[in-house]
Amino acid sequence: MQRYLIKRIFQMLIVVFLALTAVFFMQFLAGDPVILLLPMDATYEEIAEMRQRLGFEDSIFVQYFRFVSRALRGDFGQSLRHPQTAVQLVFSRIPATLELALIAVVVSLLVAIPIGVLSAAFRGSWFDQIAIVITVFGQAVPGFWLGIMLILFFAVTLEWLPTGGRGELNNLILPIITLTAFYAARFARMTRSTVLDVLNTDYIRTARAKGLTERRILYKHALRNASISIITLLGLQLGQLLGGAVVTETVFYWPGLGRLLVQSLLNRDFPVVFTGVFFIAVVHASLNLVVDLVYLLVDPRISYD
Amino acid sequence: MPMIWWLRKLIQSPTGLIGFIIILTVIFSSVFAPFIVPFDPNQADRPNRLRPPGTPGHIFGTDQQGRDLFSRVLFGSRISIFVGLVTVIIAGTIGTVVGLFSGYFGHWLDSVIMRLVDVWLSFPFILLALIINAILGMGLRNVVITLIITGWVIFARLVRGEVLALKNRDYILAAKALGQSELKIIFFHILPNVFTPIIIISSLQISQIIIAEATISFLGFGVQPPTAAWGNMLSDGRNFLFNAWWMATFPGLALAFTALGLNLFGDWLRDTLDPKITK
């Protein structure tokens, strides 16, 4: 167990390191920001002097080494558009994104798991049919368009809710519905198919033969085994949920990390973009590790020794 | 499997049939758009700006420059279909080849490629696409390149998994014993057996790619105005939500309709080709 843990942490560090390297190359390919830092009428000499001073004239290896050693100290440079450092800017936006993402995940699970389990338990029933249609729609409707339609209906036409922003409970409702619609659809389908697979196994047949009630079979046996796939999917989705936040935050003017990244990309404020991206990669890798460890708790058959 | 078998299977499944009809409709309208549309999609008509749907001649209304929305939605389908098909074909080919080699040769090659895939997948898809697009620059061609760079990993991972399951089968070992070259084994014996999952994942990936393109263009990257693409039309529509609801409604409906058709058809294809997988 301990050896496995060390191995997994080591693997995670490799992925984080590779992500850092990928970020460096993206930054390298994006070009130097000197043009953005200087006034429009800067002379060629001024540009060359600035490039020299910021180290863009050094070889790629020197630049890479400097980048990594700074990153290890948590220094990702200065924002090109704001007075703060990139790290300060990114961290100031994280609470807003976490608030949105966590509530959306919890709501999605609360909606999706009962739907998925009931759908599987009553396969072919009208409930199942309706659930399938709704989940297929939920996956087909693009998140940003759903967001716009919700604004059109609840904010513009009915004037019940604000069109965007953050601060009050009212502001949360539409973004949460937008994020939940897509993720709940995915979780529900996943739960349904996993529970169906489990219900077809021999030990469920044995449990039925023993005369256990359907309810007991479903909750005691099927759901417990289905939970592994659901945890995996959840772990993978949490990273992508931050991607969903990019779009949802932009639509609802939600002052989170996603919106910051889109604005910074449009402004070509690359230090902020890459800090944010690196942060997301680290969160993603850590979540994968947590998911692996949660397996151990949920499924006694899995052992990593 | 003969055509008639496919048709019979399709008719038996209402959802598959609906998906198929939607796809045919979208393809038909994109191919014949120039002959169907009543107006040039880029022709501004200032006096007729922001007309609501149902205005004579403008079934979907007009936008802020007086351009006919119906014509623009129809022309927008061309961008979506083009991006979806071209991206999936190229990304699918690259991913398949990488997955075949990675899975077949294993060892350090596999480790290196799979770590690369891990890193790729540790960035949210849409964010990675936005960054690559910002670096490459905007425009249709760069959107396709962006989506290929972000999209190949899904195929590589899928194919690699399939190859791992296949490469120790008896018929592969027999081919090896007969002295066939590695390349011949990979492309003639393994590839045909991973086709089914590739087809299934491709059909489902097309809708993801189409939505991704629209999202990128919506956020201000990707396909730029005045070219009619559903994403940038939605971006315009969002700015006119208070006085022209139709501008954001119809391009989005077209997008959701297309994605729905592709997903229904993809699900049907998966169920038909691979009976092992329960829905």
Side-chain angles (χ1 to χ4, degrees), chain A residues 45-59:
Chain A
E45 284 74 25
E46 280 172 326
I47 294 175
E49 196 263 337
M50 187 83 161
R51 283 181 58 86
Q52 184 80 40
R53 199 152 51 84
L54 291 174
F56 288 112
E57 298 291 332
D58 298 329
S59 79

Side-chain angles (χ1 to χ4, degrees), chain B residues 1-276:
Chain B
M1 282 172 267
M3 200 67 178
I4 199 86
W5 183 89
W6 281 107
L7 279 176
R8 195 173 296 150
K9 277 273 172 199
L10 194 58
I11 291 167
Q12 281 166 3
S13 156
T15 50
L17 190 62
I18 293 171
F20 186 65
I21 292 171
I22 291 176
I23 294 173
L24 279 188
T25 312
V26 176
I27 293 178
F28 179 85
S29 49
S30 71
V31 171
F32 294 103
F35 306 105
I36 305 172
V37 298
F39 295 93
D40 177 342
N42 291 324
Q43 181 66 51
D45 179 12
R46 295 245 163 225
N48 277 320
R49 56 198 296 273
L50 301 180
R51 298 275 166 176
T55 306
H58 301 292
I59 183 170
F60 285 178
T62 61
D63 69 3
Q64 78 278 20
Q65 296 186 26
R67 296 173 296 193
D68 179 50
L69 207 58
F70 178 68
S71 308
R72 288 182 70 72
V73 169
L74 233 51
F75 264 82
S77 69
R78 304 188 122 197
I79 301 279
S80 291
I81 297 290
F82 174 80
V83 171
L85 278 180
V86 171
T87 306
V88 166
I89 290 171
I90 300 179
T93 308
I94 295 172
T96 302
V97 172
V98 171
L100 282 172
F101 280 89
S102 180
Y104 186 79
F105 291 110
H107 301 299
W108 63 268
L109 183 73
D110 190 42
S111 304
V112 169
I113 290 176
M114 283 306 118
R115 285 296 87 73
L116 193 68
V117 169
D118 282 346
V119 173
W120 229 227
L121 293 175
S122 68
F123 300 116
F125 176 79
I126 198 71
L127 192 58
L128 194 61
L130 289 178
I131 293 170
I132 296 173
N133 199 244
I135 293 172
L136 288 175
M138 292 152 188
L140 180 60
R141 191 196 55 169
N142 285 341
V143 173
V144 173
I145 298 176
T146 300
L147 291 170
I148 291 170
I149 297 176
T150 39
W152 67 273
V153 281
I154 300 282
F155 291 91
R157 176 168 270 196
L158 171 89
V159 171
R160 175 209 176 241
E162 296 287 326
V163 174
L164 285 185
L166 281 173
K167 73 174 183 184
N168 290 322
R169 293 274 180 89
D170 287 343
Y171 76 96
I172 301 293
L173 298 178
K176 270 189 193 160
L178 286 170
Q180 291 201 345
S181 73
E182 310 267 33
L183 283 182
K184 203 164 175 186
I185 292 175
I186 291 175
F187 287 104
F188 286 89
H189 297 296
I190 292 183
L191 182 60
N193 287 296
V194 295
F195 252 151
T196 306
I198 294 174
I199 296 287
I200 293 169
I201 201 90
S202 301
S203 70
L204 293 168
Q205 276 292 306
I206 293 181
S207 74
Q208 300 289 317
I209 296 288
I210 287 178
I211 290 179
E213 180 274 312
T215 307
I216 294 171
S217 302
F218 169 74
L219 292 173
F221 305 86
V223 182
Q224 297 295 305
T227 306
W230 292 338
N232 64 37
M233 291 166 73
L234 280 167
S235 176
D236 278 347
R238 186 176 184 280
N239 296 330
F240 286 88
L241 266 190
F242 283 91
N243 33 18
W245 57 268
W246 53 92
M247 279 178 63
T249 305
F250 291 114
L253 269 179
L255 180 60
F257 184 69
T258 308
L260 180 69
L262 287 163
N263 285 350
L264 287 175
F265 185 73
D267 281 350
W268 169 79
L269 204 61
R270 182 190 54 199
D271 293 346
T272 311
L273 287 174
D274 194 350
K276 277 182 308 206

Side-chain angles (χ1 to χ4, degrees), chain A residues 18 26 136 140 142 144-145 149 152 189 192-193 197 239-240 243 247 250-251 253 265-266 268 277 280-281 284, chain B residues 119 121-127 131 134-135 215 218-219 221 234 238 241 248-249 252-253 255 259-260 267 278-279:
Chain A
L18 288 174
M26 287 179 202
V136 168
F144 66 98
W145 183 62
M149 289 295 106
L152 187 60
R189 276 173 76 112
R192 179 181 182 274
S193 73
D197 283 347
Q240 293 297 328
V247 179
T250 307
V251 171
Y253 296 110
L265 270 170
L266 286 169
R268 306 191 77 76
V277 168
I280 289 174
H284 190 95
Chain B
V119 173
L121 293 175
S122 68
F123 300 116
F125 176 79
I126 198 71
L127 192 58
I131 293 170
I135 293 172
T215 307
F218 169 74
L219 292 173
F221 305 86
L234 280 167
R238 186 176 184 280
L241 266 190
T249 305
L253 269 179
L255 180 60
L260 180 69
D267 281 350
T278 42
K279 238 196 311 188

Side-chain angles (χ1 to χ4, degrees), chain A residues 228-247:
Chain A
I228 296 169
S229 310
I230 297 168
I231 292 169
T232 317
L233 190 78
L234 182 65
L236 291 173
Q237 291 302 314
L238 284 176
Q240 293 297 328
L241 203 65
L242 292 171
V246 170
V247 179

